[in-house]
């Protein structure tokens, strides 16, 4: 949103100004009185933002492709190889993904006012595993549950599964058409981040709401404090600073979400065990 490109980039005031306009405009749409506008606020905000960047000449050129239809290749970077460091890292990532999935399911249940169903965790974990396998097979990033989806639902007020299923089918079809994917990939990053900024504010609101339901708020504050500070702190550490460390340690330190999650789990378990011993 600041228009900084590369490590030595500088702030682009034109992009900053446009980003602020998009954020304000999207906030206005999200809280609009007309339900139809509110439902499509994210899409409208992104479209208007894209046009705004086009008029100020801050859009990127659409890449060209010779083929009309193109299917994904398998193992683009070569066949899988065994690596003990990657295995250990995968275990930590798996725990993180499970934690993120559970949080996403819980916050989505609260958003749509749905009933708690423990079977959702089993189904979600099974499908997430298949997604990761397919991601590795086709050399792509596996899709994962994200709490931001609840922020999107809260902003648009669309709780039906049908749009999600139709959207998933369209993504599969569009992914095989290079022209469409190249066009969508030309969306200025600042536009996407500006609209996402609004969505994440909705998610943060829901987080505080969920937090207020905790019976033991003192424990919640004690857990969140060190986890938040440590997780955000390591995000400012340069990847080059950890290049000399073992791959497992380097992968953890370079990911603030992993560090924050493990510290939160550790502090909570230590506090609960200490409380049970003292009682």
């Amino acid at each position: 949103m600041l228009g900084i490109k590369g490590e030595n980039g500088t702030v682009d005031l034109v992009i900053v100004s446009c980003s602020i306009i998009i954020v304000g405009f999207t906030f206005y749409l999200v809280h609009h009185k007309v339900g139809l506008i509110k439902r499509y606020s994210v899409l409208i905000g992104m479209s208007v933002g894209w046009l705004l960047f086009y008029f100020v000449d801050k859009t990127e050129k659409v890449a060209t492709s010779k083929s009309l239809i193109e299917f994904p290749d398998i193992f683009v970077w070569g066949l899988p190889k065994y690596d003990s460091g990657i295995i250990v890292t995968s275990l930590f990532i798996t725990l993180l993904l499970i934690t993120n999935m559970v949080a996403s399911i819980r916050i989505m249940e609260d958003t749509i006012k749905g009933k708690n169903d423990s079977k959702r965790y089993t189904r979600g974990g099974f499908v997430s595993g298949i997604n990761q396998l397919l991601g590795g097979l086709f050399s792509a990033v596996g899709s994962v549950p994200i709490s931001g989806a609840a922020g999107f639902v809260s902003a648009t007020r669309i709780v039906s599964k049908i749009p999600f299923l139709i959207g998933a089918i369209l993504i599969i079809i569009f992914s095989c058409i290079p022209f469409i994917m190249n066009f969508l990939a030309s969306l200025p990053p600042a536009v996407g981040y500006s609209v996402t900024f609004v969505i994440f504010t909705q998610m943060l609101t829901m987080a505080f709401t969920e937090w207020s339901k905790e019976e033991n708020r003192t424990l919640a504050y004690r857990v969140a404090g060190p986890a938040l500070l440590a997780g955000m702190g390591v995000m400012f550490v340069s990847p080059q600073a950890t290049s000399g460390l073992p791959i497992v340690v380097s992968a953890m330190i370079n990911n603030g979400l992993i560090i924050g999650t493990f510290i939160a789990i550790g502090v909570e378990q230590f506090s609960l065990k200490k409380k049970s011993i003292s009682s």
Side-chain angles (χ1 to χ4, degrees), residues 64-71 172-182:
T64 58
S65 179
K66 297 180 180 179
S67 57
L68 180 62
I69 298 178
E70 186 175 338
F71 296 100
I172 295 175
I173 296 174
F174 291 163
S175 297
C176 299
I177 306 176
F179 171 76
I180 296 179
M181 292 307 298
N182 290 337

Side-chain angles (χ1 to χ4, degrees), residues 229-277:
L229 289 177
M232 294 182 63
V234 299
M235 291 176 65
F236 292 94
V237 178
S238 172
Q240 288 77 13
T242 61
S243 58
L245 299 175
I247 186 172
V248 177
V249 179
S250 177
M252 289 184 60
I253 293 180
N254 289 332
N255 193 314
L257 187 57
I258 293 180
I259 293 294
T261 300
F262 278 112
I263 290 179
I265 294 175
V267 173
E268 182 180 37
Q269 294 302 314
F270 175 78
S271 301
L272 293 176
K273 186 171 292 186
K274 183 180 178 181
K275 182 179 179 181
S276 62
I277 293 176

Side-chain angles (χ1 to χ4, degrees), residues 3 5 33 58 69 78 103 110 116-118 128 147 158 209 263:
K5 297 182 179 180
K33 296 180 180 180
K58 291 297 180 179
I69 298 178
D110 291 340
N116 295 330
D117 185 1
S118 59
S128 295
S147 302
I158 300 176
T209 302
I263 290 179

